[in-house]
Structure formats: C-alpha cells, structure tokens
C-alpha cells in the first residue's frame, strides 16, 4: 500500500491560529486554503486559495456583472479575454458625514458654557468666524491686602476667583515671662531677647540662640575604672570645679602582693585540689572530700611507677604502659572502643555488629564498616555495609556519619562478574526485562521495564515501508499515513 500525505484540516474552525512556515491547512468551514508565511512566525498565515475564491471567480465569469452601492456611483465592466475588471466611481454630493466618513480635526458644534464662557458667531458650519471670551464674575476688580490686612479668595473648579475680601490682622504681639508681661508693636517696636545669669543670647538670620556661659571647668571626661570624680556645682546647676582621685587597696599572701583598683573583681582562686565559694560576704575553702587514713578517697589520673595491686579499682580512665594480658573474658560497657594498632587478628569466622542480643525494635541505625582514607587532596570517610532505611547493602566512598546514620553518594564497585536472581531494573541501569521482540523498536516505560513495538510491515509492491508514529496516548505505533492533523 502506497503512503498517504494529509495536510492539517478542520470542519468547524474558519482559520488556523498558528502554522509553521510552509505548513498547509484547509478549512471546510471557510472553504479557504492557508499556508504559514515562509520566513515568518507561527502567527503569520496567508490565504492562498480554496473553494471560497474559486466560487467568486466562477460567479464573476458567469454573471459578468458588478454591483456598486453606498455613497458612490459608477459602472464596472469585465474583459473576459484578459480576466480584468474595470471600475469607474464618483463621490455623491453631500455624502460625507463629519466624524463618520472623515479622519482628523474639525469643528462640528461650538457652544459656550453657561455662566463661564461666551461665544459669538454661528454655532455650527464651515468657514464661520467665532469669538470665545470669559464671562465676568461677581468679584470687584482691584487690589486686596495691606500692612494691616490679608486678602481671602474663593476659587472655582476652573481656577477663577468668584469671591474676594480682606481680613484685618493684629499689629501687637503680647509676651509674658515667669514674671511680668508686655506688648510689642509689630510695626514700630523691636522684641529684645536678654540673657540672664550665666546665659548669653545672639540673634542671626531670624534665629534666637541662647547659650550657657563657660565655667572654669576644663571640658572632658572625669572618672574611670581607677579614678573617682569630684565636682563643685553652683546655684544654676553648673559644674564650677572638677577633679579626680585614685581609689584602691593592697592585698598580700604567703607569696606575692597586688593592688586592687576600684571596679576590679577580687578573685579567690583555689590551688591544687582546693575549691572556693563566696556567699554572704564570706569566702569558704574546701578540698572536696575526707582524706583521713580510713576514708575511701577518690583521685583522678593516678600514676604508679611500679606495680599496682588492687581487688577493687574504680576509675574513669586506666592507662597501661606496657603489655596487658587478660586471662578471662573482656567486657567493655563504654560508648567507644579505640584500638590504635597496626594489625588486628580475630579468630572468629563471623563478626557480629549491632549488639549481642536480638533487637526488639527498629533503631533506624546503619550497620557496617567505616574507614578513613585520603584522595590526595582531602581526608575522606568511607562506609560499606547495610543501609537500614533503604534496606540495601551499599558502598559510600565520601560518607557523612550522623549519629550512626550514614549519608552520601553511592560509589562505584568493581566485580569480575555479577549474577542476579532477577532482571536488573531500569532505575539501576538495566532494561527491566530478559528478552525483546526481534526487529521491534525499544521505547521507554518510565521506571518500569523497557517496552518494544511490533515489527513494521513492508509493501514490496510499492517498495515502501510503514512509518513509525505515536497514537493518542503517545505510544509508538506503525502507520501508512503521514497526517498533518486538524485545527
């Protein structure tokens, strides 16, 4: 079977909204043929033919008549030999309506606003002279405001004064103080600011400045961590004298002495094995325990030069400088066991991690071996073992240990061969299946195993094979048609 090429088409939409340059489309609704404009965008669409246009041409050729209507009159003729129409038209008298048949500026009607603007001349028409003027308001023309009065105005929305008058202003400024009062004639007298005791006044650029007079005290900071300040104050609250003096005392001990300055802290420091406590202005010294010959004494970090024999030693830390041999069983109940030796040998064929009894709950902790190494640039922490959250055996060359929960990117592993009980999943780099259809085309299936199409058919009579397309779900399928689709 030969291949079929179908262009884009529609039976209900009059025109496509977008076409690729050179792409064809036909609308049965508008009976027009479209093409995407070469070199244009997807919205540049040209009409290049269709039944709509051929019907018009057929009607013109058949009737050989052309109707002219509207505000023009004329005739039309068709030359069947050349296929050209000739149309002669003329504009009818008084057939142009301003604003309907014209574009641009024109005056249709000129009417003044009552009480605001007056016009003279015809209200409408062409070639008419017009005069436009403001109508008088109720304001009396003249000057408003003076040395003893200020003007007041009323302004309408057009910015015109509709009322004007004057308001008399006061010419006397009344002033009062803590004692006494007076009136200043603003048009003839001057208001004077006089400084009192220890005050000086100055007037500059409409500003009055009142300053305190300087005293004999040198400006600066008085008093510190080692000095106390002393001042003399006058009746106006000013400092007329300032000085400093030192406040300290001397302390001595069995050895040494020191001077304690004001604002320093006197600290009582206990010696070896001695603690101090300060409360209610008293200092108490204590060695922390009874050290009588019959007392049970606790010491930290006891060093023995020789042999130590005891049937009851309780110690936070024990250090053995030499060989230690334990004949019985060794039980370590601490949190960390560190072995800083070059070779560790275990006779046990199995190494048990995660406890010496069966767990009763999931502690969400990983199990395995953690190792340290260096990549030539930086120190690294590696891990291989069982990932509790993933429930998989994993290897992480650059790992992070957060409270025995290992995180990091899985590393590469090298094996001579690998045998799996199941097909290798796609998520792990496999195909997810064991066999494929011969000559089928493989396609993806998300996280599932890869899928394969049927075998495409070949038409030996027309020397053509099927085309690979997709169905409405996007699944690959063989077809004999090259279809432009619909719009």
């Amino acid at each position: 079977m030969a291949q079929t090429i179908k262009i884009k088409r529609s039976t209900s939409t009059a025109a496509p909204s977008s076409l690729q340059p050179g792409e064809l489309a036909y609308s049965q609704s508008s009976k027009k043929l479209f093409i995407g404009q070469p070199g244009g965008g997807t919205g540049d669409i040209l009409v290049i033919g269709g039944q709509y246009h051929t019907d018009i041409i057929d009607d013109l050729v058949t009737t050989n008549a052309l109707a002219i209507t509207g505000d023009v009159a004329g005739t039309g003729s068709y030359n069947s030999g050349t296929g050209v129409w000739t149309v002669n038209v003329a504009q009818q008298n008084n057939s142009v309506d301003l604003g309907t048949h014209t574009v641009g500026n024109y005056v249709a009607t000129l009417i003044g606003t009552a009480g605001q603007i007056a016009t003279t001349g015809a209200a409408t028409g062409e070639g008419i002279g017009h005069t436009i003027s403001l109508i008088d308001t109720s304001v009396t023309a003249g000057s408003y405001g003076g040395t003893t009065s200020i003007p007041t105005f009323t302004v309408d929305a057009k910015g015109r004064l509709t009322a004007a008058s004057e308001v008399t202003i006061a010419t006397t400024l009344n002033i009062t103080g803590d004692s006494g009062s007076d009136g200043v004639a603003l048009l003839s007298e001057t208001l004077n600011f006089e400084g009192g005791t220890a005050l000086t006044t100055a007037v500059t650029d409409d500003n009055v400045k009142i300053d305190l007079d300087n005293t004999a005290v040198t400006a600066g900071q008085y008093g510190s961590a080692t000095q106390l300040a002393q001042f003399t104050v006058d009746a106006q609250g000013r400092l007329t004298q300032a000085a400093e003096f030192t406040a300290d005392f001397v302390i001595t001990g069995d050895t040494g002495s020191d001077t304690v300055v004001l604002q320093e802290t006197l600290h009582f420091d206990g010696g070896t094995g001695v603690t101090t406590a300060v409360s209610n202005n008293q200092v108490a010294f204590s060695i922390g325990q009874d050290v009588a010959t019959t007392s049970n004494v606790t010491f930290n970090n006891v060093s023995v030069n020789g042999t130590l024999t005891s049937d009851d030693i309780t110690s936070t830390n024990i250090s053995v400088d030499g060989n230690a041999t334990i004949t019985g069983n060794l039980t370590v109940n601490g949190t960390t066991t560190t072995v800083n030796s070059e070779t560790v040998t275990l006779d046990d064929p199995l190494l048990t991690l995660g406890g010496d009894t069966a767990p009763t709950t999931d502690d969400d902790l990983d199990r395995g071996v953690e190792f340290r190494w260096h990549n030539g640039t930086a120190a690294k922490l590696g891990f291989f073992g069982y990932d509790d959250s993933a429930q998989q055996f994993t290897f992480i060359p650059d790992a992070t240990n957060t409270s025995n929960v290992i995180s990091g990117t899985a590393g590469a592993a090298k094996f001579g061969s690998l045998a799996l009980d199941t097909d290798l999943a796609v998520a792990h780099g496999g195909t997810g299946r064991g066999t494929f259809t011969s000559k089928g085309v493989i396609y993806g299936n998300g996280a599932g195993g890869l899928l394969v199409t049927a075998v495409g058919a070949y038409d030996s009579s027309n020397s053509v094979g099927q085309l690979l397309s997709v169905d409405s779900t996007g699944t690959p399928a063989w077809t004999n048609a090259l279809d432009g689709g619909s719009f």
Side-chain angles (χ1 to χ4, degrees):
M1 177 180 179
Q3 303 289 9
T4 300
I5 299 178
K6 298 180 181 180
I7 68 172
K8 186 175 286 187
R9 59 206 176 273
S10 176
T11 59
S12 58
T13 304
S17 59
S18 64
L19 288 176
Q20 295 296 325
E23 183 181 11
L24 293 173
Y26 188 81
S27 171
Q28 184 61 29
S29 174
S30 62
K31 293 182 172 55
K32 293 180 181 180
L33 179 65
F34 305 88
I35 189 172
Q37 179 178 332
T42 58
D44 299 326
I45 301 172
L46 304 177
V47 180
I48 60 174
Q51 184 180 348
Y52 171 82
H53 300 284
T54 58
D55 287 348
I56 293 175
I57 296 174
D58 290 343
D59 290 343
L60 290 175
V61 173
T62 301
T63 61
N64 195 21
L66 182 66
I68 300 176
T69 61
D71 294 328
V72 296
T75 60
S77 61
Y78 176 71
N79 187 329
S80 60
T82 62
V84 177
W85 275 90
T86 301
V87 179
N88 298 307
V89 296
Q91 180 71 43
Q92 298 297 301
N93 294 332
N94 297 322
S95 61
V96 176
D97 295 330
L98 293 179
T100 301
H101 297 150
T102 63
V103 177
N105 299 322
Y106 61 88
V107 177
T109 302
L110 181 63
I111 301 174
T113 302
Q116 298 179 3
I117 299 177
T119 64
T120 60
T124 61
E126 300 179 6
I128 303 299
H130 299 277
T131 300
I132 302 174
S133 61
L134 289 173
I135 296 175
D136 293 343
T137 68
S138 59
V139 177
T140 301
S143 176
Y144 293 84
T147 58
T148 61
S149 63
I150 58 174
T152 63
F153 301 102
T154 301
V155 183
D156 65 10
K158 307 297 183 182
R160 301 186 308 157
L161 300 183
T162 59
S165 60
E166 293 180 327
V167 177
T168 301
I169 60 175
T171 59
T172 300
L173 175 63
N174 295 319
I175 59 176
T176 62
D178 293 335
S179 64
S181 63
D182 197 5
V184 180
L186 297 177
L187 300 179
S188 60
E189 294 182 339
T190 301
L191 176 62
N192 179 50
F193 294 89
E194 182 178 353
T197 302
L199 294 176
T200 301
T201 63
V203 178
T204 305
D205 296 332
D206 299 333
N207 292 315
V208 179
K209 182 179 180 181
I210 303 175
D211 288 330
L212 282 172
D213 294 337
N214 292 336
T215 68
V217 176
T218 302
Q221 179 179 335
Y222 291 83
S224 66
T226 59
Q227 298 288 317
L228 289 177
Q230 184 178 33
F231 302 103
T232 300
V233 183
D234 66 9
Q236 282 72 41
R238 301 181 305 156
L239 301 184
T240 59
Q241 185 179 15
E244 292 179 325
F245 65 91
T246 302
D248 55 24
F249 61 92
V250 178
I251 60 174
T252 62
D254 292 336
T255 60
S257 63
D258 196 9
T259 300
V260 180
V261 182
L262 182 66
Q263 293 188 355
E264 287 186 337
T265 300
L266 178 60
H267 179 71
F268 295 90
D269 189 8
T272 303
V274 179
T275 60
T276 63
V278 178
S279 178
N280 296 327
N281 299 325
Q282 293 181 342
V283 181
F285 296 86
S286 173
I287 62 173
Q289 64 177 333
D290 189 357
V291 292
T293 56
T294 59
S295 300
N296 291 323
V297 182
T298 300
F299 293 102
N300 289 330
N301 301 324
V302 176
S303 190
V304 177
N305 186 11
T307 302
L308 173 64
T309 302
S310 174
D311 61 353
D312 184 10
I313 298 178
T314 301
S315 175
T316 302
N317 298 298
I318 296 178
S319 177
V320 178
D321 186 9
N323 298 324
T325 301
I326 299 174
T327 305
N329 296 325
L330 174 64
T331 301
V332 180
N333 290 323
T335 57
T336 302
T337 301
T338 302
V339 179
N340 291 322
S341 61
E342 296 181 358
T343 302
V344 177
T345 301
L346 301 176
D347 291 341
D348 296 331
L350 294 177
L351 182 64
T352 301
L353 304 177
D356 55 359
T357 59
T360 58
T361 59
D362 184 2
D363 57 11
D364 294 324
L365 302 180
D366 299 329
R367 269 77 170 168
V369 176
E370 186 180 78
F371 59 92
R372 300 184 183 278
W373 65 289
H374 200 286
N375 64 358
T377 303
K380 301 292 182 180
L381 183 69
F383 171 81
F384 61 86
Y386 187 74
D387 186 331
D388 180 82
S389 60
Q391 296 189 1
Q392 294 177 338
F393 193 85
T394 185
F395 162 59
I396 302 176
D398 189 0
T400 299
N401 186 340
T402 305
S403 300
N404 292 327
V405 176
I406 306 299
S407 61
T409 303
K414 181 178 180 181
F415 298 95
S417 61
L418 183 65
L420 301 175
D421 292 338
T422 59
D423 296 328
L424 184 60
V426 173
H428 300 144
T431 63
R433 58 188 296 164
T435 61
F436 292 99
T437 301
S438 177
K439 299 181 180 179
V441 177
I442 299 172
Y443 59 94
N445 185 30
L450 298 180
L451 300 177
V452 62
T453 67
V455 179
Y458 180 77
D459 185 356
S460 58
S461 300
N462 295 287
S463 300
V464 63
Q466 287 184 301
L467 300 173
L468 184 62
S469 181
V470 294
D471 59 19
S472 59
T473 65
T475 302
W478 298 102
T479 182
N480 294 312
L482 184 60
D483 194 344
S486 60
F487 62 89

